[in-house]
Amino acid sequence: MFLYFYNKAKDYFLAFLHLFYPHLCLECGTDLLPSDSVLCISCEKKLPYTDLFSIENNIIEKIFWGRNVILAAGAGLFFTKDSIVQILIFELKYKQNKKAGWLLGRIIGAAMQHLNRFNKIDLLIPIPISLKKERQRGFNQSIVICEGIQQILPTLKMASSLKKKKATSSQTNKGRLQRSEHLDQVFELQEAHVLKGANLLIIDDVITTGATLEAAHKCLWQARPNSISIAAAAYTL
Ligand SMILES: [Zn+2]
């Protein structure tokens, strides 16, 4: 009996909330969408999926050739300007919309799920952001993406083994090119012993030049893992 009234009250409450904060698909605006998502099923189906996870020597892996030893790499979606993918990333990073990040994570998880190339992963390693950004944003978007991956692959553990070092004033004043050379020194390892002999999957939101991931890889490599792979929510065309 109590449960009945509780559920009824919850329904009314949700309906009331919906009136003021309508839950609408970010792409087409319909209100017929799963409560844990930001897109309706039809718009989710129409996203620009990449298939890169299943392709050996794909364009993302080629970015790291001659630079880092990568077992496998992939990205869930193609990122283009003014697209729904840009909106999803924007919602996650600047509008505190964790549901957008969970969706992006689920897309990665579903793409990797049955692939031999990704079936030995032990640990998800989110790319860290600075403490200042984390305070402004309320969370690290890569961690939210990891949580979405875990919704599909619950046995995968997450380890926040990378920490972003505080930017020194000399770094902030340098030009873009010089700054990218200094990316090598932006991360530091935490609890490196957890990583030794493990198969790692670094998680990032968008891959553009790969410079951040290259630096993260170099840092993690010092802990002597068995392998490092890379997965991003989106890849910039
Ligand atoms: Zn829709």
Side-chain angles (χ1 to χ4, degrees), residues 145-157:
I145 294 172
C146 286
E147 290 166 358
I149 297 174
Q150 288 171 322
Q151 289 176 10
I152 303 288
L153 304 165
T155 56
L156 289 184
K157 299 268 182 297

Side-chain angles (χ1 to χ4, degrees), residues 24-33 38-44 46:
L24 306 176
C25 171
L26 286 175
E27 175 74 333
C28 73
T30 177
D31 62 356
L32 297 171
L33 71 165
V38 287
L39 292 181
C40 72
I41 288 164
S42 142
C43 288
E44 193 181 322
K46 282 187 272 184

